[in-house]
Amino acid sequence: MLPYTLVIQHAAQVLTLAGGPPDRPLAGPDLHHWTIIERGYVACQGDKIVAVGPMDELNLACITPETRLVDATGCVVMPGLVECHTHLVFGGNRAHEFERKLRGESYLDILASGGGILSTVRATRAASEDELLANALHHLDGFRRYGVTTLEAKSGYGLDRDTELRLVRVAREAGRRQPVRVVPTFLGAHVVPPEFKEAGPRAYVDFILREVLSDLKGEAAYVDIFCEEGAFPLEVARYFLEQAHKMGFGLKIHAEQLHDLGGCEMAAELGAASVDHCDYLTPAAAARIAQRSQGRTVAVLLPLVPLFLRQEKYAPGRAFIDNGLPVAVSTDFNPGSCPSKNLWLALSVACLKMGFTPQEAVAAATLNAAWAIGHAADCGSLEPGKRADILVLNVGSVAEIPYWLGENPVREVVLGGAMQ
């Protein structure tokens, strides 16, 4: 047995996220009943976890003078957070629209007036690649401080060929320049750009399919589309996802955020890895998705979005869980509807407004989030063979994680076996 390079020991609780089915996300009772080790340890060799267990099972023979020992007495140790829905790369911000929201203008009202997403598109097109990269690195540093170790970065603020490809390129370069792993997703079908206003949504997605997707092979594993009033209607979203799937891309969708248009069920029928937002997804539809996808499509819930938009409607997460639909939780970090990187706050709001328990919330932001972006094989839980992405928290139990509202509990971040 090779010596350990890092041992995190004497933890009050080790939240392993282990014990569920190996071939699909956690759902139903499994979302709550995963393994917690009281007074435990995690041992690493290089960038991999090699042993997890109670302290009385720690192999002392593998500890040498070169082993780095971290005392986690009184602390929770858990997997690094997985952010499965962000819009990382963009230019400018939309602080100037915040007062409009406070005066009562809706998200769709602002979008229809040329603001919202289109406002960020103008700022992003005008920004240089160096500016976009600097902004992305700044935001990634903030995510790392919150304990995020893997992050999905959607494009979608270019809405033309060159800018959309640049956004994916910047996301990949940002991932190379710092330790948080970045997983790009192509959201060129965010809204219809001004250049296609007369031609319409179908003409724009035909343009994407013809002119853009062929250059994304190997650069982004998934495509996404916003199926909503003012964006893309259901039939156009279906056509786009069907054609993208034929080209070899995995599928995602923004759907049922503001209206129930049937986008989530449609995407799940096509084999989507995730259906995101879901505020207007009904429990009956959630049960059908769970059954038809055999528990493999994850509903990514974004509780900070209705909070920031001052909406009353939150996804019925409790009903989704009780109906067997796997769920994940993310911030939806973006300049318009969620300018927050605080995934811990999202977990608290998921408990307060969506009916999650603390254990379910933690699972939703780790292992199930990893399933939503195709990385459950190497992150999201503390198990031998997985990447050593580990957090030490300044709380003593899993119940405290969502209790301390808005606080950042992170004491230590380990990324790929290296202390940050």
Side-chain angles (χ1 to χ4, degrees):
M1 186 76 173
L2 294 172
Y4 299 146
T5 54
L6 172 68
V7 177
I8 302 172
Q9 57 184 348
H10 302 299
Q13 290 185 335
V14 177
L15 313 184
T16 69
L17 277 298
D23 61 341
R24 67 194 66 200
L26 299 172
D30 287 338
L31 194 68
H32 184 98
H33 297 298
W34 38 264
T35 303
I36 298 176
I37 299 171
E38 306 288 340
R39 196 170 179 272
Y41 77 93
V42 181
C44 310
Q45 289 172 350
D47 64 351
K48 294 289 190 293
I49 297 169
V50 292
V52 182
M55 281 302 298
D56 58 12
E57 294 180 8
L58 176 60
N59 187 347
L60 299 178
C62 292
I63 297 176
T64 71
E66 287 73 39
T67 303
R68 181 161 188 176
L69 301 177
V70 176
D71 184 4
T73 299
C75 296
V76 164
V77 172
M78 64 173 283
L81 296 178
V82 179
E83 256 287 11
C84 60
H85 185 129
T86 84
H87 302 253
L88 177 70
V89 186
F90 57 86
N93 63 63
R94 301 220 291 270
H96 58 286
E97 294 178 0
F98 187 52
E99 282 194 83
R100 295 176 65 182
K101 291 188 179 76
L102 297 179
R103 287 196 300 266
E105 289 190 67
S106 75
Y107 180 87
L108 291 180
D109 289 339
I110 294 171
L111 177 63
S113 71
I117 293 167
L118 294 175
S119 173
T120 299
V121 167
R122 291 190 292 272
T124 302
R125 288 179 176 181
S128 70
E129 190 157 329
D130 286 344
E131 290 171 331
L132 293 172
L133 179 59
N135 288 341
L137 290 170
H138 167 75
H139 294 312
L140 283 170
D141 184 62
F143 276 115
R144 179 183 55 80
R145 294 172 189 273
Y146 278 119
V148 171
T149 55
T150 295
L151 174 143
E152 187 219 36
K154 299 180 187 292
S155 70
Y157 290 123
L159 306 187
D160 61 32
R161 180 184 181 279
D162 291 344
T163 312
E164 282 296 316
L165 292 175
R166 187 188 339 154
L167 296 180
V168 174
R169 186 167 63 247
V170 167
R172 291 178 67 84
E173 180 61 22
R176 284 190 284 265
R177 292 202 185 189
Q178 51 72 62
V180 176
R181 176 167 49 186
V182 176
V183 180
T185 287
F186 179 72
L187 180 59
H190 203 176
V191 294
V192 178
E195 297 86 347
F196 282 83
K197 185 176 181 180
E198 297 300 322
R202 173 62 185 262
Y204 177 56
V205 300
D206 274 331
F207 163 76
I208 293 173
L209 293 166
R210 183 178 66 249
E211 303 290 342
V212 186
L213 287 193
S214 61
D215 290 325
L216 281 168
K217 291 293 182 68
E219 300 296 313
Y222 293 96
V223 299
D224 199 340
I225 187 169
F226 186 19
C227 179
E228 184 53 78
E229 292 183 11
F232 294 91
L234 182 65
E235 63 272 15
V236 174
R238 175 186 286 277
Y239 166 74
F240 174 70
L241 293 178
E242 287 176 338
Q243 298 306 310
H245 183 63
K246 290 177 183 177
M247 296 176 70
F249 290 95
L251 307 180
K252 292 174 165 288
I253 194 169
H254 286 52
E256 273 69 79
Q257 179 182 358
L258 303 169
H259 302 89
D260 182 5
L261 302 182
C264 289
E265 283 196 82
M266 176 273 293
E269 289 172 9
L270 297 178
S274 73
V275 293
D276 298 34
H277 284 286
C278 306
D279 293 324
Y280 283 79
L281 180 66
T282 67
R288 291 192 294 270
I289 291 171
Q291 182 176 18
R292 291 171 183 169
S293 72
Q294 298 182 314
R296 287 181 167 82
T297 296
V298 179
V300 177
L301 309 186
L302 309 165
L304 297 186
V305 173
L307 177 68
F308 188 76
L309 296 180
R310 302 199 307 164
Q311 296 168 344
E312 297 298 321
K313 180 75 169 175
Y314 286 78
R318 178 79 264 143
F320 294 173
I321 295 167
D322 292 343
N323 279 289
L325 181 63
V327 291
V329 171
S330 176
T331 59
D332 189 17
F333 172 70
N334 74 84
S337 60
C338 185
S340 174
K341 307 175 188 74
N342 191 343
L343 187 47
W344 304 108
L345 178 59
L347 297 189
S348 296
V349 178
C351 292
L352 293 168
K353 304 296 284 187
M354 295 179 173
F356 283 65
T357 68
Q359 289 94 323
E360 290 166 345
V362 168
T366 53
L367 187 57
N368 275 15
W371 277 103
I373 59 173
H375 278 275
D378 62 356
C379 70
S381 62
L382 300 180
E383 299 178 85
K386 288 202 172 184
R387 205 168 82 132
D389 294 343
I390 308 164
L391 306 180
V392 180
L393 307 184
N394 285 316
V395 296
S397 71
V398 64
E400 288 188 58
I401 291 174
Y403 168 75
W404 295 108
L405 186 66
E407 290 197 13
N408 180 4
V410 174
R411 193 192 90 183
E412 306 281 0
V413 178
V414 177
L415 265 158
M419 302 289 293
Q420 298 301 305

